[in-house]
Amino acid sequence: MNYKIILTAALVLLAIFVWASSNRQAQSFKTVSVSEFAAIIADTTAIQLLDVRTLKEFDEGHIAGALQIDFYSDQFLPQTLAKLSKEKPIAIYCRSGRRSASAAEKLAAEGYQLINLAGGILAWQQAQMPLEK
């Protein structure tokens, strides 16, 4: 009898933990389409634009006005904390959207507001949006 109560309580706690974890991840940053991203970054005074690709990737073409900080660098977090304000949202992108999603999770945990480009620079290029070299 007591085992059933303990097992039920454990399952309820597990369900609450899983629900809370999934809700926290869902709310940590927003992923938007190319057109939404373009509209968001159009107001350069209201947004910070961050490219988390390598310098080589960045030099091959990037969105105008983007700050480049390599997500794979050991200095990613210290550089970001030093260069970007928590007062304005960060529009973030990478090659395909996966790296920037990981970076967004990390930065959201530090208190930043983030907007991730779905499909990354590949989607941007496919939509024939401008790049700067």
Side-chain angles (χ1 to χ4, degrees):
M1 187 81 161
N2 287 337
Y3 290 113
K4 287 182 181 180
I5 294 171
I6 293 170
L7 182 59
T8 302
L11 289 173
V12 167
L13 288 175
L14 179 62
I16 291 170
F17 174 76
V18 169
W19 175 81
S21 294
S22 66
N23 267 356
R24 186 181 70 238
Q25 288 175 345
Q27 296 174 357
S28 63
F29 67 93
K30 182 178 180 182
T31 298
V32 299
S33 69
V34 169
S35 60
E36 290 172 301
F37 197 81
I40 289 166
I41 66 171
D43 184 358
T44 58
T45 62
I47 199 83
Q48 302 168 98
L49 183 58
L50 178 60
D51 184 324
V52 296
R53 299 176 299 154
T54 65
L55 184 57
K56 182 180 182 224
E57 290 173 303
F58 182 81
D59 288 343
E60 291 171 355
H62 56 273
I63 299 173
L67 171 67
Q68 184 273 332
I69 304 176
D70 183 353
F71 177 65
Y72 293 135
S73 165
D74 291 340
Q75 293 302 306
F76 173 73
L77 194 54
Q79 285 182 0
T80 304
L81 292 171
K83 295 180 179 182
L84 295 174
S85 168
K86 292 182 182 176
E87 301 303 312
K88 289 199 277 186
I90 299 171
I92 189 170
Y93 71 94
C94 66
R95 182 178 175 275
S96 67
R98 296 175 84 183
R99 196 177 340 168
S100 55
S102 295
E105 281 291 335
K106 185 176 265 194
L107 294 176
E110 295 293 326
Y112 288 93
Q113 299 170 359
L114 291 121
I115 302 153
N116 184 39
L117 173 58
I121 200 80
L122 294 175
W124 186 265
Q125 289 174 304
Q126 187 175 12
Q128 300 179 343
M129 298 300 282
L131 290 179
E132 185 175 89
K133 290 189 181 191

